[in-house]
Amino acid sequence: MRSRVLGAGVSAFALLAAACSPAPNTSAVPVGSVGAPMPAEASELTSAPSSSASSAPSCDPTASLRPGGLPAAGQMPAGSTMAEIQARGRLIAGVDQNTYLMGFRNPFSGEIEGFDVAMAREIAEAIFGDPNKIQYKVLTSEDRVAALERGDVDLVVRTMTVTCERLEKINFSSVYYEAGQRVLVNRTSGISGVDGLGGKKVCATKGSTSLAAVANHPVKPVAVSVPDWTDCLVMLQQGQVDAISTDDTILAGLAAQDPYTEVVGARFTTEPYGVGIPKGNEDFVRFVNAVLNRMRGDGSWASAYQDWLNTLGPAPAPPAPRYRD
Ligand code: GLU
């Protein structure tokens, strides 16, 4: 805060000085030569991040813990993780605020909305009987696992693929959506899918499975990492990257914000989404799985799809849950 105030004072002084001094004798800079700024922390990858396949023991990350019965809202069993959340008075949910359709801040209302957020609201409803009893914490792709490990959040619902590598550090619910990685390009690019990305700059967020899939792809794209998906869109628009590659859900939201872009090529990965939950809170995993099961059966999953994802095509059946116990 202190330095911001100081900063404002300094720049006001600089403006004043500029206004009082005679016009500097500089030659005009042609506008075309002014480089567009890069998003903060954008960087070209020099070595590929590990893919989950190469660094974690094999497992079936889509198999979660069998749900128990669903207690009545407002009556969470004594001693449970849910009772602690109930006593606190709000569910703390890690979400995104930059991914239109999945987790984004509605500029008109200021509210955070989207398909992932709809999942979090259903879980709050099941605990409190009120979907609004949520505190959102905005997380980047990279923040998600660490936020759960630190216990900063009760859960993460943020386009998060269940992987064996992540499962070593956190728990996952059953799969609530099946996405897949594709490619977004400018309509005039001539690129028609991932195979056209050899030697091209391709943007994805740090800490995402998408970045690893780009960096490890046999056609050898040049992976560029940024904090948020919207940073990738800005870089594409400024001509600093040739493509963005991530889940079709996220790309649909980016394409909807820029009619000069299009999603191309087939899915080249499968990205099953789970709700991330801290290790140890197995009771909460079972509770969330019971909520997801109810949503699969009572039409609320389909209506969340309808509200947010119908640009991806007619609603598929919700993913069938799988359990390991
Ligand atoms: N689903 C991918 C992941 O969990 C990419 C999405 C993201 O990072 O937001 O890493």
Side-chain angles (χ1 to χ4, degrees):
M1 198 59 194
R2 217 180 140 86
S3 67
R4 279 172 64 185
V5 170
L6 194 68
V10 167
S11 58
F13 174 76
L15 273 175
L16 207 64
C20 295
S21 54
N25 186 18
T26 51
S27 55
V29 179
V31 171
S33 73
V34 177
M38 300 276 265
E41 294 171 47
S43 71
E44 239 173 66
L45 249 61
T46 45
S47 64
S50 71
S51 68
S52 52
S54 63
S55 62
S58 70
C59 77
D60 178 0
T62 65
S64 185
L65 302 174
R66 202 165 287 282
L70 207 49
Q75 295 173 31
M76 296 301 111
S80 65
T81 306
M82 295 76 81
E84 262 175 55
I85 297 168
Q86 190 188 324
R88 184 202 295 135
R90 64 193 193 282
L91 173 72
I92 304 178
V95 296
D96 197 354
Q97 67 170 358
N98 297 292
T99 297
Y100 179 51
L101 303 178
M102 297 303 287
F104 69 100
R105 196 176 287 276
N106 180 323
F108 300 110
S109 65
E111 298 292 326
I112 294 189
E113 300 179 349
F115 185 77
D116 280 340
V117 175
M119 301 293 134
R121 286 172 61 80
E122 288 281 345
I123 295 162
E125 164 93 52
I127 298 171
F128 298 102
D130 179 351
N132 295 312
K133 291 204 165 163
I134 305 193
Q135 175 187 0
Y136 295 112
K137 288 203 175 174
V138 171
L139 302 175
T140 62
S141 298
E142 192 186 19
D143 290 338
R144 293 173 295 193
V145 169
L148 287 163
E149 285 186 303
R150 285 193 303 265
D152 288 353
V153 290
D154 297 315
L155 50 78
V156 166
V157 204
R158 198 203 164 285
T159 56
M160 192 173 193
T161 301
V162 300
T163 69
C164 295
E165 192 176 17
R166 291 171 179 166
L167 204 49
E168 292 195 326
K169 298 176 181 162
I170 61 166
N171 270 310
F172 279 114
S173 72
S174 60
V175 172
Y176 67 88
Y177 190 77
E178 265 156 11
Q181 187 162 348
R182 296 181 67 193
V183 173
L184 184 84
V185 288
N186 286 317
R187 284 183 183 276
T188 52
S189 73
I191 295 169
S192 58
V194 68
D195 292 338
L197 297 180
K200 305 274 188 204
K201 289 190 182 174
V202 182
C203 187
T205 58
K206 195 169 178 193
S208 67
T209 55
S210 323
L211 186 69
V214 168
N216 293 306
H217 198 278
V219 303
K220 297 199 185 311
V222 178
V224 175
S225 85
V226 290
D228 289 309
W229 291 112
T230 38
D231 293 325
C232 282
L233 185 59
V234 170
M235 290 191 85
L236 184 68
Q237 290 167 336
Q238 294 188 154
Q240 294 161 330
V241 294
D242 303 291
I244 303 170
S245 183
T246 183
D247 307 344
D248 45 6
T249 45
I250 299 171
L251 296 182
L254 295 176
Q257 296 172 76
D258 186 339
Y260 295 100
T261 65
E262 62 178 340
V263 180
V264 293
R267 287 176 166 192
F268 61 96
T269 70
T270 52
E271 306 292 331
Y273 290 167
V275 179
I277 292 171
K279 261 234 184 307
N281 297 356
E282 271 80 20
D283 56 348
F284 195 38
V285 177
R286 294 183 197 279
F287 179 87
V288 167
N289 283 345
V291 175
L292 293 175
N293 250 358
R294 188 180 66 192
M295 291 185 72
R296 288 181 184 101
D298 71 1
S300 42
W301 187 94
S303 89
Y305 184 95
Q306 210 49 47
D307 286 346
W308 299 111
L309 298 180
N310 60 359
T311 52
L312 288 163
R322 306 191 55 256
Y323 304 113
R324 61 177 182 267
D325 62 344

